[in-house]
Amino acid sequence: MERISRSNMQSILDYTDKDVRELHEQALENLREIGFVNPIDAFKALSAKDSKGRNTTLLEIREIYVSPNVGTEDRELSRIITLYPEITIEGGGQYSQLVLTFENNRFPDMNRIWQILESYGKESAEYRENIDDYPMLQLTILPLTLDGRYGFVMSSPIMWFLTPADPAEEQPRQIRMLIEPGGLQFVQDESYSVEKILEESRKMMASYKMDLQRQLDKEEAEKEMQREMETEQKRFLESNVTNHTFGYDENTARTAENRRQAWNDMQKDGKFKVGNKRD
């Protein structure tokens, strides 16, 4: 996973107060023009951009653990909130597909979402009735150009795929999730607004960014340690010092090449064989 940079940490944290006001004003104007908002309006709003060309549809993925013995939600955990991907919802029969398209496959949020899905799949496969918490995923999709008041909620995808966004592309940059019948719902909440949603999202994203940066720093430290070990090993093999006692004097085994040749000669002559004692 690559180190977070200014260019690949988007949107929610980068929105200024001016950006939020402009987006809120744009949303209110859209709502006045639409009047009564229906699911078709929300579908169209998924692809809307702001004045700077940024995506304006927010995606939150939450883990919900339900106790089968009680039937109520035991606990919830927000795993990610992002404005990165372009979001579309496709229908085919009774099933729906949620399609997340990223600019490229190097976005940390793409990797994070895939890890969440894979972890969820593993937990679901390992679930047994004697386990208290049954895992579920809830995906909330809110077009901010409708002020975050209207959107969609999807429950636990049953399949997911990594695919290229175009047949001519080699690398995947699209995540597709298959949602079972009844798993897609149109929702509205008049109490929300762009300001409220982005403020809550900023707090969660700031915490998420810190956690992710700590993880990346740890991985980088481990890689640096591995590089130092490899460098030390190489330095030792190429040094003029030899510690073997196989009958070669220091002058004939001073270089790494002589030492390798010495080893090969001994194996060829039968003086030393791996796994056997010397005669």
Side-chain angles (χ1 to χ4, degrees), residues 120-136:
Y120 162 71
K122 183 178 179 181
E123 281 189 278
S124 299
E126 294 176 349
Y127 176 79
R128 298 294 182 271
E129 290 185 1
N130 61 339
I131 297 179
D132 290 335
D133 292 336
Y134 180 79
M136 299 176 64

Side-chain angles (χ1 to χ4, degrees), residues 5 38 41 52 72 79 84 95-96 132 140 145-146 158 160 166 177 182 185 187 200 207 210 228 237-238 271 274:
S5 69
N38 61 44
D41 298 313
K52 296 181 180 179
T72 58
R79 296 298 305 275
Y84 261 133
Y95 291 85
S96 302
D132 290 335
T140 302
T145 52
L146 299 180
I158 56 176
W160 47 89
D166 184 275
M177 306 179 211
Q185 296 180 350
V187 295
E200 293 178 358
S207 175
M210 290 177 61
E228 291 178 358
L237 290 174
E238 294 178 351
K271 295 181 179 179
V274 176

Side-chain angles (χ1 to χ4, degrees), residues 217-235:
D217 288 342
K218 180 181 178 182
E219 292 176 359
E220 183 61 30
E222 291 173 350
K223 289 179 182 179
E224 181 61 28
M225 182 179 295
Q226 181 64 30
R227 286 193 292 267
E228 291 178 358
M229 290 176 62
E230 291 173 354
T231 300
E232 180 63 21
Q233 183 182 42
K234 181 179 180 181
R235 185 196 65 78

Side-chain angles (χ1 to χ4, degrees), residues 148-160:
R149 303 180 190 183
Y150 305 87
F152 301 95
V153 172
M154 292 183 165
S155 58
S156 300
I158 56 176
M159 297 181 71
W160 47 89

Side-chain angles (χ1 to χ4, degrees), residues 12 14 95 97 144 159 163 188 210 278:
I12 295 176
D14 292 341
Y95 291 85
Q97 278 195 68
L144 298 184
M159 297 181 71
T163 65
Q188 69 178 83
M210 290 177 61
R278 293 176 60 189

Side-chain angles (χ1 to χ4, degrees), residues 138-264:
Q138 177 179 288
L139 298 92
T140 302
I141 301 150
L142 298 176
L144 298 184
T145 52
L146 299 180
D147 215 29
R149 303 180 190 183
Y150 305 87
F152 301 95
V153 172
M154 292 183 165
S155 58
S156 300
I158 56 176
M159 297 181 71
W160 47 89
F161 314 89
L162 270 176
T163 65
D166 184 275
E169 296 178 350
E170 295 183 0
Q171 298 298 324
R173 61 183 181 93
Q174 195 174 79
I175 297 177
R176 288 179 171 264
M177 306 179 211
L178 186 64
I179 310 297
E180 63 184 347
L184 171 63
Q185 296 180 350
F186 173 66
V187 295
Q188 69 178 83
D189 188 338
E190 296 291 344
S191 68
Y192 271 95
S193 66
V194 168
E195 293 98 325
K196 182 177 179 180
I197 290 173
L198 289 181
E199 180 59 30
E200 293 178 358
S201 300
R202 279 172 173 171
K203 294 177 181 177
M204 299 183 74
M205 277 296 291
S207 175
Y208 163 66
K209 181 179 179 181
M210 290 177 61
D211 290 343
L212 183 56
Q213 190 64 67
R214 281 195 292 267
Q215 176 187 343
L216 295 176
D217 288 342
K218 180 181 178 182
E219 292 176 359
E220 183 61 30
E222 291 173 350
K223 289 179 182 179
E224 181 61 28
M225 182 179 295
Q226 181 64 30
R227 286 193 292 267
E228 291 178 358
M229 290 176 62
E230 291 173 354
T231 300
E232 180 63 21
Q233 183 182 42
K234 181 179 180 181
R235 185 196 65 78
F236 175 78
L237 290 174
E238 294 178 351
S239 69
N240 290 332
V241 179
T242 179
N243 293 322
H244 68 72
T245 57
F246 300 145
Y248 281 76
D249 62 31
E250 185 175 348
N251 291 328
T252 59
R254 294 185 66 86
T255 67
E257 182 59 34
N258 284 340
R259 296 168 73 180
R260 284 191 289 269
Q261 187 62 49
W263 177 267
N264 292 335

